[in-house]
Amino acid sequence: MEDTIVVELYQYLVEPTPEGFLDLRAAVAGLPGYAPYSGSLREGWALFEEEQFEKAKDLLESELPGWILNPGIHQMLSFAWHKLGQEEAAQYEFAVAVALLNAILSTGDGSKAQPYLVLYPTDEYDLLAYLEKRSTSQSLEMLGEKRYDCQTCDDGTEIWFDVTVPYAHLQKRYSK
């Protein structure tokens, strides 16, 4: 199944559609390796600070395909590949990150009525950075069965994210 996700991502990148992204998103959320609250990204940054780019790349790649739809991991992999002198791989990972940011943007408009769909809490900050916004506060809203993060930005705007999928994963994990 994990190999299938990689093929599906490639197919999505070749022919991106909102429906294709939603199907891919559902498939990734069903993977055994889907762990939206993993600390590997923080560990990756620590390795970057120590200039251990090969170790960082290996650590980040070990999180795939469970994190394959996270723009941030692809940005970090792009940086690692760049530091390792592999420009073609760096450019590919950067292109994947941008494609995923645009895919998330295609899921809504960031309003309370049409929030962006995210699979990982870090997607919110990746998207805010892409939109050149800076969060000053975050609140979790529970509306029926749905869970939303509302990010209030320093320009006064609110950007809403549907975090129902990662929140349900967290709930299931801690209910065991």
Side-chain angles (χ1 to χ4, degrees):
M1 179 173 193
E2 292 181 356
D3 290 340
T4 305
I5 296 297
V6 175
V7 171
E8 288 180 37
L9 174 61
Y10 178 76
Q11 290 171 340
Y12 172 78
L13 294 172
V14 170
E15 190 174 329
T17 64
E19 299 80 22
F21 181 68
L22 293 176
D23 290 345
L24 186 55
R25 186 177 179 275
V28 170
L31 290 173
Y34 172 65
Y37 295 92
S38 167
S40 292
L41 296 184
R42 283 188 302 276
E43 293 173 42
W45 282 117
L47 290 168
F48 282 160
E49 288 175 8
E50 297 169 6
E51 298 186 12
Q52 295 185 37
F53 304 112
E54 186 75 35
K55 281 187 178 181
K57 178 192 68 70
D58 292 345
L59 172 71
L60 296 168
E61 286 181 336
S62 75
E63 290 295 324
L64 301 176
W67 276 72
I68 202 164
L69 294 185
N70 174 254
I73 202 166
H74 292 284
Q75 290 170 326
M76 292 174 75
L77 283 166
S78 175
F79 181 70
W81 282 117
H82 168 71
K83 289 305 227 176
L84 295 169
Q86 301 294 319
E87 290 308 314
E88 191 173 316
Q91 290 174 7
Y92 172 78
E93 291 294 347
F94 185 78
V96 171
V98 171
L100 293 175
L101 288 163
N102 287 317
I104 294 169
L105 285 171
S106 78
T107 65
D109 63 12
S111 66
K112 187 174 186 177
Q114 294 181 325
Y116 297 120
L117 300 175
V118 295
L119 275 181
Y120 319 90
T122 59
D123 289 353
E124 296 176 36
Y125 295 96
D126 295 336
L127 194 62
L128 289 173
Y130 188 62
L131 297 173
E132 298 180 354
K133 301 275 187 182
R134 192 172 77 65
S135 177
T136 57
S137 68
Q138 172 187 355
S139 61
L140 176 65
E141 304 283 333
M142 298 180 192
L143 303 171
E145 297 294 315
K146 297 280 193 170
R147 303 297 182 257
Y148 303 93
D149 271 346
C150 175
Q151 297 279 359
T152 302
C153 300
D154 60 359
D155 63 2
T157 59
E158 289 184 345
I159 300 182
W160 288 75
F161 297 90
D162 183 329
V163 295
T164 303
V165 171
Y167 187 84
H169 184 274
L170 186 65
Q171 291 294 103
K172 189 165 82 174
R173 180 176 168 198
Y174 285 110
S175 68
K176 289 183 179 181

